[in-house]
Amino acid sequence: MPAESADVVVIGAGVSGLSSAYFLARAGRDVVVVDKGIVGGEASGRNGGMVSERVDEPLLIPMAVEATELWATLDEELGHPTEFVQEGRLQVAVTEKDMGDLLAERDVAMRHGIDAALVEPSEIRDMIPGITERTLGGLFFPNGGHANTQLTVQAYAWALQDLGGRLYQNTTVTGLRIVDDRVTSVETTAGAIAADVVVGAAGPQTGLLAELAGVHVPVAPARVEILATAPVEPRFPIALVGNGLYGHQAVRGNLIFGGGAHEWTDVDLTTSPGKPNTPLIRNIARRLAELLPGAADAPVIRSWAGVVEQAPDYRPIIDILDYPSNYVVVTASAHGFGISPATGKVVSELVLHGESSIDIRGLGLNRFADYGPDWREKRGWIPSPLRY
Ligand SMILES: Cc1cc2nc3c(=O)[nH]c(=O)nc-3n(C[C@H](O)[C@H](O)[C@H](O)COP(=O)(O)OP(=O)(O)OC[C@H]3O[C@@H](n4cnc5c(N)ncnc54)[C@H](O)[C@@H]3O)c2cc1C
């Protein structure tokens, strides 16, 4: 049975909600986290585990750089392991267009003082044994890395509980009670919880949740898929991006790789959007065999889908609202795992001080003030028959 009250109620036990809850608890706040399912049961426990400085989204760089620094000591900070490996992230080009994109990203990195170096095909083959001979070049970010997603969500959750934070799983939020301009309590399937502050970190359901408070937050859900092979040798510790894929080799040797396409879907407030796999996995497996011919015989032992939260401009929305004035919207626009330590820091600072020490300009909700309820249709971001 949930507590009757808390300083802060966080809705969603994914990485965004759990990290926010952890940093708030560390600052002495009495925090309750509620989730309709289990810790990391959605995208946060199903993703590729990639951590990077996100030069593909310049407005996200301050958060991503801060996150990369926080990741370096996160196991120590949380007191529980995440299997974070910081041996760098290599982006390889297999087409002339990829090469042009790499050079553009190198320029962005240089402008922002991010360590990134162009590498020759021969160096790439030394860094990633068994990689295709077709690479034209690569861009290496020494600060990038990868972590174990399941361990990470659990680490945040245990660290929160170590600080006295409470976590209620299988507890769905069904309503937000508003008096004057504040949310006074969060209504759940197990009862109401009075709150001074509410953090809505519900992933693809973030928009539906905000609607309960009469606030429009444009977030579209999209299915993304990922696969794991049996362990392969030789090993490489570097996170790898190329041939339309991203991924890494887990500590136990499994290749874990995912990639597009995004498939627009719908979610509701109460059910789990994760579904079994589609033939898209065959397409990912083919691209992986092209990228790493040396591992082409590795059996695919597992594959799964997750649903990402996508804002119209592909950037997170992190904001403490004007109305309701004690409601914080947190949604990561599919960048959430890597930036999660910074997300928690930003949210705790917004709650405690009303502003963040990390530059989050460009991540506010008001940039979508002109977006009506039909924005998805206008963009064509609506579910359609699958094509492979
Ligand atoms: C296949 C895949 C690969 C990805 N790869 C990467 C990657 O390599 N690197 C990276 O940085 N990001 C990656 N992402 C994106 C990343 O996983 C997400 O951005 C991130 O996990 C979002 O975290 P979150 O906590 O905001 O949302 P979620 O993980 O979706 O968590 C939201 C939680 O809210 C709960 N909830 C929803 N509605 C309610 C309700 N009414 N009541 C109570 N609880 C509710 C849900 O049950 C859920 O647990 C990937 C995503 C997928 C699916």
Side-chain angles (χ1 to χ4, degrees):
M1 174 66 72
E4 287 172 359
S5 68
D7 294 338
V8 185
V9 173
V10 176
I11 304 167
V15 278
S16 305
L18 288 170
S19 174
S20 303
Y22 168 75
F23 277 93
L24 283 160
R26 199 183 73 161
R29 293 298 182 273
D30 174 31
V31 185
V32 166
V33 178
V34 287
D35 198 289
K36 64 177 175 49
I38 58 170
V39 163
E42 301 298 343
S44 295
R46 297 163 180 252
N47 67 76
M50 306 280 280
V51 176
S52 72
E53 288 142 321
R54 300 265 41 144
V55 291
D56 53 337
E57 285 292 340
L59 286 173
L60 197 48
I61 287 175
M63 270 193 78
V65 167
E66 177 87 21
T68 307
E69 284 171 22
L70 291 169
W71 270 106
T73 54
L74 196 61
D75 286 23
E76 217 175 291
E77 166 74 38
L78 299 178
H80 301 281
T82 63
E83 284 184 359
F84 178 55
V85 176
Q86 194 166 28
E87 296 280 343
R89 173 178 186 266
L90 177 65
Q91 242 166 277
V92 298
V94 292
T95 65
E96 292 293 345
K97 180 185 175 308
D98 292 346
M99 201 61 214
D101 292 346
L102 284 194
L103 293 173
E105 290 205 9
R106 194 266 319 256
D107 291 347
V108 175
M110 280 174 70
R111 276 203 301 281
H112 288 85
I114 292 172
D115 210 358
L118 288 170
V119 287
E120 297 292 328
S122 59
E123 296 172 88
I124 292 173
R125 287 195 288 276
D126 290 341
M127 294 163 101
I128 310 284
I131 197 165
T132 173
E133 303 266 324
R134 284 173 43 228
T135 61
L136 304 176
L139 188 59
F140 181 63
F141 296 87
N143 294 325
H146 54 82
N148 180 317
T149 60
Q150 296 282 338
L151 282 181
T152 300
V153 283
Q154 200 54 67
Y156 280 126
W158 280 329
L160 168 70
Q161 289 173 314
D162 291 344
L163 293 171
R166 287 161 287 164
L167 174 59
Y168 297 108
Q169 302 179 82
N170 302 309
T171 303
T172 301
V173 172
T174 52
L176 299 172
R177 183 170 152 74
I178 298 178
V179 176
D180 298 328
D181 75 335
R182 296 174 70 78
V183 182
T184 55
S185 71
V186 173
E187 289 159 11
T188 81
T189 43
I193 311 170
D196 292 337
V197 177
V198 176
V199 176
Q205 279 95 348
T206 298
L208 296 174
L209 202 66
E211 269 174 33
L212 297 174
V215 176
H216 179 52
V217 177
V219 178
R223 272 170 50 89
V224 195
E225 301 198 6
I226 204 157
L227 62 76
T229 71
V232 296
E233 299 288 347
R235 308 246 174 139
F236 59 88
I238 296 170
L240 179 62
V241 177
N243 207 28
L245 300 176
Y246 56 86
H248 66 275
Q249 191 165 26
V251 170
R252 281 157 290 279
N254 314 75
L255 297 171
I256 299 180
F257 276 78
H262 279 37
E263 298 165 358
W264 302 112
T265 184
D266 284 315
V267 292
D268 64 35
L269 204 53
T270 56
T271 54
S272 168
K275 289 197 190 123
N277 304 294
T278 70
L280 182 60
I281 281 297
R282 282 207 300 269
N283 189 300
I284 293 175
R286 175 183 56 75
R287 281 181 279 155
L288 181 58
E290 289 168 0
L291 181 66
L292 292 171
D297 292 337
V300 173
I301 57 166
R302 213 155 66 86
S303 61
W304 61 94
V307 176
V308 290
E309 63 299 339
Q310 201 82 75
D313 57 4
Y314 304 98
R315 296 202 302 270
I317 305 171
I318 304 182
D319 210 350
I320 186 156
L321 301 184
D322 294 332
Y323 174 89
S325 61
N326 61 340
Y327 192 85
V328 182
V329 172
V330 188
T331 185
S333 217
H335 302 298
F337 185 77
I339 62 168
S340 61
T343 303
K345 185 171 173 182
V346 166
V347 170
S348 73
E349 289 177 347
L350 287 178
V351 170
L352 299 172
H353 315 300
E355 58 184 10
S356 166
S357 61
I358 304 172
D359 184 357
I360 53 168
R361 276 173 296 175
L363 306 186
L365 179 61
N366 60 6
R367 71 189 194 267
F368 300 121
D370 296 339
Y371 281 63
D374 59 346
W375 72 273
R376 282 185 71 179
E377 284 75 14
K378 282 186 174 159
R379 282 196 150 230
W381 284 12
I382 48 174
S384 60
L386 303 179
R387 285 186 299 276
Y388 300 102

